[in-house]
Amino acid sequence: MGSSEKATNNNTSDDTHESLTTNSLLPPPPPHHHHFVLVHGISGGSWCWYKIRTLLESSGYKVSCIDLKGGGIDPTDANSILTFDDYNKPLLDFMSSLPPNEQVILVGHSAGGLSVTQATHQFAKKVSLAIYLAATMLKLGFWNDEDVKDGVPDLSSFGDIYELGFGLGPNQPPTSALIKKEFQPKILYQLSPPEDYTLAAMLLRPGPILALTSARFEEEDGDGIDGVPRIYIKTMHDHVVKPHQQEEMIRKWPPAEVYGLDSDHSPFFSRPNELFGLLVKATGSCVGSCECN
């Protein structure tokens, strides 16, 4: 199936509180059989999905949010996480624990796309759909300079923005990175409500940058990743994974469908209702029916 792009225009996004409050007064809807597994990006945690989790669960979906190593409430020091396998272990352990016949919808944001790809390589039969949200979508991870160009954010135009950690010593490559607080609103959340980027500033943690940039996957015969439908959700005003990077990754590994959001890098804050709508739409249009390219 060829990729089809569907843009969602967003003129208002202030109705989230009203929607959540209204939903809380209604009787619980019947449960859906779909199970969403939400995976954060570098420096984030399961907390970043709080609006989306509320909307999905209020509509009867099952939702699991994963804290990767060093993210959210996981106590691991990012400077001690040196391999991608170690970083992604919480998601792989979760997938391994699923009953043999249970399938989930994986949703990866930003660098969480790498986590989703590795999990799909290893557990293709347990993944009914993989959704990449402003995410790094590289079939085999970082094997060459082109992969790095497409999948690694280049924020140099903003200046000296990182607080770096050097867990292997001052003369070695940095092991962790965190965007300085004064830069976070204009890079990550320029279209998001102030209360959300204030919350994020209190919860973001250094991310294990060395582990992430070492992400490499090998495709084995019959691992099944090409049999798993994929959807990409583009973020049109993204300063992190820029639109041209998203387009290149889509071109090189075409998903079944492409949607668009008029959002910053963090649509779970800036466009939660529209993002919720696209996630629900994806389950109806792709689960069990899409053919992957």
Side-chain angles (χ1 to χ4, degrees), residues 155-182:
L155 305 181
S156 57
S157 63
F158 291 97
D160 180 19
I161 67 165
Y162 287 116
E163 297 173 0
L164 299 174
F166 294 87
L168 297 178
N171 298 321
Q172 299 297 318
T175 48
S176 70
L178 176 65
I179 295 176
K180 297 174 182 177
K181 286 188 178 182
E182 61 266 31

Side-chain angles (χ1 to χ4, degrees), residues 23-195:
N23 286 346
S24 69
L25 299 176
L26 297 174
H32 296 273
H33 68 277
H34 297 308
H35 180 183
F36 284 89
V37 179
L38 309 180
V39 185
H40 64 83
I42 188 172
S43 296
S46 58
W47 55 267
C48 71
W49 299 104
Y50 79 97
K51 291 181 179 180
I52 301 303
R53 181 170 194 163
T54 301
L55 291 165
L56 286 169
E57 290 184 339
S58 296
S59 298
Y61 293 96
K62 183 177 180 180
V63 181
S64 298
C65 298
I66 307 297
D67 278 330
L68 301 175
K69 276 281 191 78
I73 62 172
D74 183 275
T76 311
D77 180 354
N79 291 302
S80 70
I81 305 168
L82 304 180
T83 68
F84 188 79
D85 286 350
D86 188 25
Y87 173 67
N88 205 31
K89 189 174 185 298
L91 176 59
L92 300 181
D93 287 348
F94 175 87
M95 297 297 295
S96 180
S97 72
L98 290 171
N101 295 325
E102 181 173 349
Q103 287 192 314
V104 298
I105 298 169
L106 293 178
V107 183
H109 173 247
S110 196
L114 292 164
S115 297
V116 165
T117 298
Q118 186 186 44
T120 306
H121 272 295
Q122 296 189 20
F123 300 98
K125 292 182 179 179
K126 293 185 177 182
V127 182
S128 61
L129 176 65
I131 300 176
Y132 293 79
L133 172 63
T136 303
M137 186 176 68
L138 300 170
K139 185 176 183 180
L140 299 177
F142 299 115
W143 282 92
N144 54 53
D145 291 342
E146 283 298 308
D147 294 332
V148 172
K149 181 181 177 181
D150 295 339
V152 174
D154 179 4
L155 305 181
S156 57
S157 63
F158 291 97
D160 180 19
I161 67 165
Y162 287 116
E163 297 173 0
L164 299 174
F166 294 87
L168 297 178
N171 298 321
Q172 299 297 318
T175 48
S176 70
L178 176 65
I179 295 176
K180 297 174 182 177
K181 286 188 178 182
E182 61 266 31
F183 291 99
Q184 291 170 9
K186 65 181 178 181
I187 295 176
L188 300 171
Y189 312 115
Q190 81 271 17
L191 299 178
S192 298
E195 58 268 28

